[in-house]
Amino acid sequence: QISNIKPLAPLTILNALTLNENQISDISPLASLVRLRLLFLGLNPLSQESIDVHAPNLSSRRVNVEL
């Protein structure tokens, strides 16, 4: 299972990611994905900061974030 998504940060051409059912807590590395439009994160132990700060920031950039 995936827990560290930092290696995804340089992949700026990604427009969709399905990361359901992993061990991801920090989604801050996804902020660099400027073309991202769809993000599935269900059933991950997301940190409160990821839920309260990073997910809304992505949503404000028109990313459809499914927690």
Side-chain angles (χ1 to χ4, degrees):
Q1 288 195 329
I2 299 168
S3 59
N4 180 4
I5 58 172
K6 288 179 186 175
L8 298 176
L11 304 177
T12 57
I13 62 168
L14 290 176
N15 59 29
L17 272 174
T18 301
L19 296 167
N20 294 330
E21 299 184 39
N22 283 289
Q23 293 299 313
I24 299 164
S25 60
D26 178 17
I27 64 168
S28 62
L30 302 180
S32 64
L33 304 183
V34 294
R35 294 186 184 177
L36 192 64
R37 291 294 169 254
L38 186 58
L39 177 60
F40 293 102
L41 290 165
L43 301 176
N44 279 286
L46 297 176
S47 69
Q48 201 60 48
E49 181 177 356
S50 288
I51 294 168
D52 294 342
V53 177
H54 303 302
N57 285 346
L58 289 167
S59 293
S60 73
R61 292 183 8 216
R62 299 182 186 236
V63 178
N64 182 2
V65 180
E66 301 285 333
L67 299 179

